[in-house]
Amino acid sequence: MHANSTNETVMSPSGTAATSADRKPPAVLARMLSLHDFEAAARARLPRPIFGYIAGAAEDNASRDDNREVFDEYAFVTRVLRDVSRRTQAVELFGARYASPFGIAPMGIAALSVYRGDLVLARAARDAGVPAIMSATSLIPMEDVVSECPGTWFQAYLPGDQARIDALVDRVRRAGFQVLVVTVDIPVSANRENNVRSGFSTPLRPSLRLAWDGMLRPRWLVETLLRTWARHGMPHFENSFATRGAPIVSSSVMRDFSARDNLGWEHMSAIRRRWPGPLVIKGLIGVDDARMAKRIGADGVILSNHGGRQLDGAASPMRTLERVVQALGPAYPVMIDGGFRRGSDVLKALALGARMAFVGRPFNYAAAVAGESGVRHAIGLLRAEIDRNMAMLGVDRCEALGPDALIRKA
C-alpha cells in the first residue's frame, strides 16, 4: 500500500494505530497545496512579533536563505522502466520503523503559535508515524507530551554546569523519552535583529504593538493566548532544567539561557555515560565535529545551522552532508535539517546519505493556520510528494537512493 493511499493504517513507533480516516478538514486547508503556502497564511493569523520570531533568523538571513538555495544546485537523474508499484518510504532508525523519512524539528515556544502547540505537533507526528522532537524551550511540561505521545524525542539545551546537566538528563529519562537530542550550536545568544524589528523580545514584554496585533487577530487572541492563560496560567519555560523555569515575561529568562560558552566534549561524554538510550548531537556542520560525536559514543548526529538563527554565514548542512556521511560511514545515522520544504528536498538529502530530514518552520505555520489538522495536512502533502518523486526517480525504497541520482548544476 502506497504512502498516499486514502485510508492507509500505519503503526507509530509507540505502537499506536493511526488512520487517515475521513474527517472534514478546515476550509482553509483546501488552499494549502504545498508547505510553502502555509507561511503566508500563518503571517495573516499570527501577531507580527510571534510570526517574526518564527520566520526570522540572524542578522541578514544569509544562512537561512542559503538553506533554501542549495537545493536548486542539484538536479535529479531519473531511471525509467523500473517496477515501483510496491514502493515504500518507510525507514528504520534507532530500532523504530517510521512511515516516512522526515520528522518535525524542535521549535521553541510553539505554544504561542497555537494552543498547546507542542502537543499539537507531537500528536500529528504520532498519528502519521513520523518522529517529532520536543524543544527544551517549550511552554508545556515534557511529562505531559511524552505521556500522550511516547515516541516523541526530547531536545535539550544544556545549562552550564555538570550537576544541572545530570539533573536534567535524569528528568528526561524519568519522563520516559527514548531518544535524547542535545543541541550544541548556541554557546552565546545570536544577533537576531529580526526579532527587534518585529517587536519580539525575550523575555516577552507586553507592548502596544503586541496588544494591537492581538486585537487585529481575535482568533489567535481568544483561542491561543487567552485560552492558555485561563486554563494554565502564565506560561513558563518548563523544560530547560530539572525544575520549572522562569515565566515567559520574567527578566530572569535571559540569565537562564546564558552560561553555555563553557560546554565541551567532556560534557557530551558525561551525558553518554549517564543516558542509556539513543543519544543524538544536533548543530554540527563539519566533518571533524561529526567524527568527534561518533568517537564519544553519540548514536547519531543532526547536521544543522539552526535554521540560520545562530551564526549568519554558516554553511548550509546540505553543503557538507556528503562529506560527513563518507567520513562516518553509511551505517552511522546522519540526519539533517534546514530549509526543507518539498519532497524533492528530502530525497536530495537521502541521495547524499542522510537517514532522515527534519522540517521546522512549515509545521509551525501549519499548526498556526489549522491546529492539528493543519500539521496532519502538511505531513500528508510532503509524504505525497515523496511518493510521486520516488516513482518518477525509479526507486522503490529510500535506501535505493544514492549520489548517482543527483548531478550538480554547472
Side-chain angles (χ1 to χ4, degrees), residues 348-408:
K348 287 174 182 179
L350 297 185
L352 295 176
R355 297 280 287 278
M356 183 166 287
F358 286 93
V359 182
R361 290 179 176 98
F363 289 133
N364 199 322
Y365 297 145
V369 169
E372 196 172 325
S373 295
V375 183
R376 285 197 303 266
H377 184 70
I379 291 172
L381 290 172
L382 196 57
R383 177 173 285 164
E385 290 178 359
I386 290 173
D387 179 70
R388 285 192 298 269
N389 291 347
M390 286 179 67
M392 288 185 277
L393 282 166
V395 296
D396 60 359
R397 65 192 192 283
C398 295
E399 296 81 2
L401 283 165
D404 58 342
L406 299 178
I407 58 171
R408 291 293 295 264

Side-chain angles (χ1 to χ4, degrees), residues 99-357:
S100 294
F102 63 85
I104 299 180
M107 290 172 284
I109 62 174
L112 288 186
S113 299
V114 63
Y115 177 72
R116 307 301 274 172
D118 300 279
L119 276 167
V120 165
L121 295 166
R123 287 175 188 140
R126 175 200 64 194
D127 293 347
V130 299
I133 309 178
M134 183 183 187
S135 173
T137 55
S138 55
L139 306 177
I140 300 174
M142 65 174 78
E143 293 81 2
D144 293 356
V145 174
V146 75
S147 64
E148 186 170 341
C149 305
T152 307
W153 303 7
F154 184 79
Q155 173 260 330
Y157 293 118
L158 297 179
D161 67 79
Q162 194 62 56
R164 297 176 87 186
I165 292 172
D166 291 347
L168 175 59
V169 170
D170 290 347
R171 179 186 173 192
V172 176
R173 182 179 180 181
R174 287 194 305 271
F177 289 93
Q178 301 299 312
V179 180
L180 175 62
V181 180
V182 179
T183 295
V184 295
D185 59 356
I186 52 166
V188 295
S189 298
N191 179 23
R192 298 187 185 171
E193 299 166 5
N194 294 277
N195 287 353
V196 178
R197 293 189 176 98
S198 67
F200 185 87
S201 64
T202 304
L204 188 65
R205 295 186 181 91
S207 65
L208 289 176
R209 173 183 289 181
L210 184 59
W212 177 248
D213 270 22
M215 288 187 289
L216 291 177
R217 293 163 177 83
R219 175 178 169 180
W220 174 86
L221 181 65
V222 172
E223 295 184 4
T224 301
L225 185 63
L226 296 181
R227 188 180 179 191
T228 297
W229 282 349
R231 296 191 177 185
H232 308 283
M234 174 63 67
H236 284 60
F237 287 100
E238 298 282 358
N239 306 305
S240 297
F241 308 109
T243 56
R244 192 183 200 196
I248 195 171
V249 297
S250 171
S251 59
S252 68
V253 165
M254 286 308 297
R255 183 181 68 242
D256 289 348
F257 291 157
S258 61
R260 292 171 176 153
D261 55 355
N262 64 335
L263 291 170
W265 286 106
E266 66 275 12
H267 296 101
M268 299 302 108
S269 296
I271 292 172
R272 174 67 289 173
R273 293 189 296 269
R274 197 173 193 92
W275 177 256
L279 173 65
V280 177
I281 297 182
K282 176 180 180 292
L284 316 173
I285 298 176
V287 169
D288 289 345
D289 281 344
R291 281 184 174 140
M292 181 63 76
K294 183 179 180 181
R295 191 174 303 136
I296 64 98
D299 298 286
V301 296
I302 300 177
L303 304 185
S304 174
N305 64 14
H306 216 104
R309 296 167 72 86
Q310 283 301 110
L311 174 63
D312 199 31
S316 165
M318 279 289 291
R319 300 192 183 279
T320 63
L321 171 59
E322 190 172 17
R323 280 177 284 170
V324 170
V325 170
Q326 290 172 350
L328 301 187
Y332 189 82
V334 176
M335 296 158 280
I336 189 169
D337 70 16
F340 288 85
R341 297 293 184 274
R342 287 284 188 181
S344 58
D345 301 337
V346 174
L347 293 177
K348 287 174 182 179
L350 297 185
L352 295 176
R355 297 280 287 278
M356 183 166 287

